[in-house]
Amino acid sequence: MRTPALRVGAGIATGLALAAGVLTASPALAAVGDDDPTVGARVTSGPATGLAINEVESNGDDNDWVELVNTSSAPIDLSGWRFLDSDSTHTAYTLPAGSTIAAGGYLVVDEETTTRPGFGFGLGGSDAVRLYDTSGTLTLRYAWTSHAVVTYGSCPDGSGTLVDTTASTKGAPNDCSSPVRINEVESQDGTPGDWVELTNVGTTTVDLGGYVLRDSEDDHAWTIPAGTTVAAGGFTVLDEAQFGFGLGKADSVRLFDPRGVRVDAYSWTAHAETTYGRNPDGTGEFAETAEPTKGAANRFAGVVTAEAWPGGPDETVLDAEGTFTGDLSGLDWTTSSTSRDGQLWAVQNGDGLLYHLVPDGKGGWAPTNAAGTDLRYADGTGTPDAEGVTVTADDPGAVYVSTERDNDVSKVSRPAVLRFATTAGAESTLRATDEWNLAADFPGLGANAGLEGVTWVPDAWLTERGFVDQHTGAAYAPASYPGHGDGLFFVGVEGTASVYAYALMDDGSFQRVATISTPFSLLAEVQFDPTLDALWVVCDEACSGRTALFDVQDGAFALASLYEAPANADRTLANEGFAISGRCVDGARATFYADDNDTNGASLRTGTHPCDATTEPGDGDGGTPAPGDGSTPAPGDGSTPTPTPATGGSAPTPTPSLPGTPTAPVAPTEALTDANRGSVSAPDTVRAGSSVTITVGTRYAGQPVAVWLFSDARLLGTPTVAADGTVTVLVPADVSAGAHRLVVAALDGTVLGWTEVTVDPATGELAFTGADLAGGIAAALLLVTAGAGVLVVRRRRAGAARA
């Protein structure tokens, strides 16, 4: 979740601090001032001349941040200055000693994580940032009324109006360029001739009128007519019949804006067998495509390409305004004895509530427990940051909730699965009967980067498909984990953007059985779907509402299909929850989305996904949860044809992987030489206990890799290469200072490239200006396998342990 920290007790705490003389001149209590929040950043004078708010990330996948810039010719010392959002009850963050911003440099003030200091509150959709000098005087302020789709950035740096930028540039000059990009080029045998495809990587439609297209010769120029547009994320094709010249065997395509500034260009020395296109669209490097895709997303051999959502184009509101107040997160659908349309379980993260929802008879859904059930830890204390929810077929008297932390101790990571004994959520308060705290498996995980989603998959389904246990390296054998019940729990971790399968034993111990890399920068939800024999993995607005389907291929879950959001859906919705009905009516199943931001007063929406039957189990069958997720029909029960995820009927195309990919990463053994150095790059200096972003190359986009720190061959993680060709991992706090080598390898140990890096000791201070601040949004974390047990209040199942 990305909501501000809980405010309960903040006023009392502030009063106590004042009484103790701690906040004798706290900027948290200072007046906002009379500056107009619509005018943007206010530039200071006097000793801080040239200081400005330069870029703001408020919808960060895990961490929000604010970038300051110094446009003057002298450094500015901000040590002791205090930073606050629009809420004066929040505790202002004091910038540590040494917070100096160099002349012409940048300083990023980050949200706090367990490995990095920063402000202890999030930045909301309607919020502001304020900076006070050491005397408590308001010096800078910027406010906004909704999240930027990318970031709010000053154009030009330090002096312009803050606008939605083309790309996030944390700690570096803002990207205020045209968002139009050359995306695909056909230079021979096109239909009907040569053509150039443009795309828009920005957030709003661009009028291309006045843009000029040229090939390699300056006198071959065509001005695009007024009224020609390219939508955000869309494609516009310019045909040879329009621009009037052909594209040669060795040629170029160049695009200039109406001012004559070159926007983009691409050159080639030979015709492509198909076409040349960017991978991924708009942002990646050019490569030969698998086939021409004129006016559509590019396709490449061995790469799963996002395709249009196969269901209906809309997401329709289901809840009455005011039903929820924000922070609705995880969802799970189950059959019901009273409704053919089933029932929903939902959790709310900020205040730790559980809801039980049913159709209201008017086309909407409403909770049977309007106030929600207050969730507590086993001892009756705390506020679990409830992010995901699931029910299981082997424990029908309970719901399971995944959490990131205890919101009453919001700075401490507590990634856990909690069991609550309930069948209808009628209780006002529930204590967890059991807790599986997985923190030992995720060292360094941020307090706001934990378990976003949880789902349950039956053992019988896994063994039938030859699922491989990565812990043992052999076929999954349920008997290896006594007392774990009849299935595995799959959890989605926001900060690592990966899914993990766990056996949760009734004595409180646990064992990781599999790790599943995803194509996303973060995870918001995970759901098992026995109708499709697949696992849904969901991203929120950080990925423009994309979803993915994984099925078991060669013993492991692999990406089968990647979908865009429904065509008419708002891609900026913080859809952190997703569920899908097991009932098929008129060729469609209902999908459900939980919007964490309660946009326009609505938290719950529905859409559709196609299916092949008119009825499903659960149509008046008594409502007993079927094996699967405890929520959907059992796989292979004969009631519904089982389409494959990719096409709804045909076999999915196997997801490509790097050659020789094993079930667990193998340490590289080949010598590190200039011959295998490759094009891998990273900052020259990194800090122990902080994240580092490594450029691997867009040709590896979507592929899992292993990142090793040498000379001791220490595994830092197995992240999936992002669309921009980068991965981000955490440098453990206990790494020795000095020279090291970062090695990126295939999972079979083949070296893809390496680079030298110097590790500075962890000091607890902010990292400062320039390239040292560059980094990805979501930190991929150290992935290790650990089986340490945790204290469990009572057994999660009443019966004897089952193999």
Side-chain angles (χ1 to χ4, degrees):
M1 78 181 211
R2 286 162 301 285
T3 55
L6 288 177
R7 303 173 183 176
V8 177
I12 296 174
T14 301
L16 291 174
L18 285 169
V22 176
L23 301 177
T24 55
S26 171
L29 302 179
V32 170
D34 57 2
D35 52 315
D36 184 348
T38 65
V39 301
R42 182 174 129 196
V43 182
T44 61
S45 59
T49 297
L51 182 69
I53 295 171
N54 199 52
E55 192 173 5
V56 176
E57 170 65 278
S58 65
N59 61 348
D61 307 331
D62 176 31
N63 298 302
D64 297 330
W65 49 267
V66 174
E67 176 190 270
L68 306 176
V69 65
N70 177 4
T71 61
S72 75
S73 59
I76 300 174
D77 186 3
L78 300 178
S79 303
W81 286 45
R82 281 165 285 191
F83 174 88
L84 192 63
D85 63 353
S86 64
D87 189 342
S88 293
T89 67
H90 286 158
T91 300
Y93 170 61
T94 301
L95 275 64
S99 297
T100 300
I101 180 170
Y106 303 88
L107 185 147
V108 175
V109 184
D110 271 296
E111 187 177 357
E112 181 183 42
T113 70
T114 55
T115 59
R116 180 185 62 216
F119 53 90
F121 44 83
L123 301 177
S126 179
D127 210 339
V129 292
R130 296 180 280 173
L131 190 67
Y132 299 83
D133 64 19
T134 54
S135 70
T137 300
L138 178 66
T139 304
L140 294 179
R141 182 179 188 273
Y142 177 68
W144 58 94
T145 57
S146 62
H147 288 306
V149 176
V150 184
T151 62
Y152 287 118
S154 176
C155 295
D157 281 12
S159 60
T161 301
L162 272 77
V163 298
D164 208 323
T165 60
T166 298
S168 175
T169 56
K170 185 179 183 182
N174 291 337
D175 185 350
C176 304
S177 64
S178 167
V180 180
R181 298 288 184 269
I182 297 168
N183 196 56
E184 189 176 5
V185 177
E186 171 65 271
S187 62
Q188 70 167 348
D189 300 329
T191 303
D194 296 342
W195 49 266
V196 177
E197 178 189 85
L198 305 180
T199 191
N200 178 358
V201 299
T203 59
T204 58
T205 297
V206 174
D207 187 342
L208 296 171
Y211 279 67
V212 177
L213 182 75
R214 290 187 172 95
D215 63 2
S216 60
E217 300 181 38
D218 286 338
D219 60 349
H220 287 176
W222 176 64
T223 301
I224 300 175
T228 306
T229 62
V230 56
F235 305 97
T236 295
V237 175
L238 311 177
D239 282 298
E240 181 179 349
Q242 295 173 287
F243 50 78
F245 48 85
L247 302 176
K249 179 178 180 181
D251 210 339
S252 300
V253 171
R254 296 176 292 162
L255 185 68
F256 298 82
D257 71 13
R259 301 167 298 170
V261 176
R262 195 175 81 170
V263 171
D264 200 11
Y266 177 64
S267 300
W268 59 94
T269 58
H271 289 306
E273 290 294 328
T274 52
T275 60
Y276 291 114
R278 287 191 184 274
N279 179 26
D281 291 285
T283 59
E285 298 174 1
F286 277 91
E288 193 162 319
T289 62
E291 60 181 318
T293 54
K294 187 177 183 180
N298 294 336
R299 292 186 177 273
F300 297 88
V303 176
V304 177
T305 303
E307 56 191 288
W309 176 252
D314 300 311
E315 290 178 10
T316 305
V317 171
L318 286 177
D319 57 322
E321 187 171 353
T323 302
F324 307 99
T325 57
D327 292 346
L328 197 69
S329 188
L331 293 173
D332 196 25
W333 182 92
T334 96
T335 56
S336 169
S337 60
T338 59
S339 171
R340 290 168 60 88
D341 292 322
Q343 57 191 334
L344 285 170
W345 289 100
V347 286
Q348 192 160 287
N349 51 54
D351 43 13
L353 296 178
L354 173 70
Y355 289 99
H356 174 255
L357 297 101
V358 296
D360 63 7
K362 304 175 183 177
W365 286 62
T368 60
N369 52 345
T373 298
D374 197 19
L375 301 180
R376 290 287 181 260
Y377 290 98
D379 61 0
T381 66
T383 305
D385 185 59
E387 298 284 355
V389 61
T390 191
V391 296
T392 71
D394 65 348
D395 192 14
V399 297
Y400 292 80
V401 174
S402 60
T403 71
E404 292 185 322
R405 58 188 174 182
D406 176 358
N407 281 329
D408 292 355
V409 192
S410 62
K411 298 179 182 179
V412 178
S413 178
R414 191 170 175 174
V417 177
L418 304 173
R419 178 187 184 271
F420 296 93
T422 187
T423 57
E427 303 83 358
S428 60
T429 303
L430 279 173
R431 294 188 182 191
T433 63
D434 304 82
E435 177 178 3
W436 292 266
N437 188 335
L438 306 180
D441 256 13
F442 299 97
L445 186 68
N448 200 25
L451 309 190
E452 278 286 324
V454 61
T455 194
W456 184 84
V457 181
D459 286 340
W461 188 92
L462 294 166
T463 56
E464 181 183 346
R465 281 153 186 80
F467 179 62
V468 172
D469 184 338
Q470 293 177 7
H471 174 59
T472 64
Y476 171 57
S480 299
Y481 305 106
H484 81 284
D486 296 333
L488 299 180
F489 287 85
F490 286 62
V491 296
V493 177
E494 178 177 355
T496 67
S498 295
V499 176
Y500 306 87
Y502 279 94
L504 303 182
M505 273 64 80
D506 57 9
D507 64 357
S509 62
F510 58 86
Q511 177 59 57
R512 185 187 296 179
V513 174
T515 298
I516 306 168
S517 298
T518 78
F520 299 134
S521 58
L522 66 76
L523 291 189
E525 181 71 280
V526 58
Q527 283 283 334
F528 177 59
D529 187 345
T531 299
L532 294 181
D533 281 322
L535 194 70
W536 288 97
V537 178
V538 178
C539 190
D540 57 14
E541 79 276 16
C543 310
S544 300
R546 284 183 170 181
T547 55
L549 275 172
F550 285 72
D551 60 8
V552 177
Q553 302 174 22
D554 298 324
F557 278 92
L559 179 63
S561 297
L562 181 63
Y563 295 123
E564 299 287 1
N568 297 336
D570 182 350
R571 299 187 180 196
T572 67
L573 294 177
N575 284 338
E576 291 194 3
F578 173 83
I580 185 165
S581 170
R583 181 169 181 254
C584 184
V585 178
D586 296 330
R589 291 191 293 154
T591 55
F592 301 92
Y593 305 86
D595 175 13
D596 180 67
N597 283 342
D598 197 47
T599 304
N600 298 323
S603 290
L604 189 66
R605 292 172 174 82
T606 188
T608 60
H609 188 271
C611 53
D612 295 336
T614 56
T615 60
E616 289 281 345
D619 291 354
D621 65 355
T624 302
D629 197 5
S631 60
T632 48
D637 62 2
S639 60
T640 307
T642 309
T644 60
T647 63
S650 60
T653 302
T655 300
S657 59
L658 296 170
T661 299
T663 58
V666 176
T669 57
E670 59 186 291
L672 302 181
T673 65
D674 287 340
N676 60 11
R677 188 164 190 149
S679 59
V680 168
S681 63
D684 294 335
T685 303
V686 299
R687 179 165 295 170
S690 65
S691 61
V692 58
T693 296
I694 305 166
T695 298
V696 184
T698 55
R699 63 186 180 279
Y700 298 114
Q703 299 290 356
V705 295
V707 180
W708 300 84
L709 187 68
F710 276 71
S711 57
D712 297 328
R714 184 169 181 177
L715 181 64
L716 301 189
T718 55
T720 295
V721 180
D724 64 358
T726 64
V727 295
T728 304
V729 293
L730 186 73
V731 179
D734 61 353
V735 169
S736 61
H740 294 266
R741 291 182 178 185
L742 284 169
V743 180
V744 180
L747 299 189
D748 67 353
T750 302
V751 174
L752 306 180
W754 60 275
T755 188
E756 295 172 340
V757 66
T758 299
V759 175
D760 285 343
T763 63
E765 298 178 356
L766 284 174
F768 298 126
T769 62
D772 289 345
L773 292 170
I777 294 175
L781 301 164
L782 175 63
L783 305 178
V784 296
T785 303
V790 293
L791 179 63
V792 180
V793 175
R794 60 173 66 90
R795 298 169 71 91
R796 72 181 177 100
R797 296 176 178 85
R802 288 168 284 181

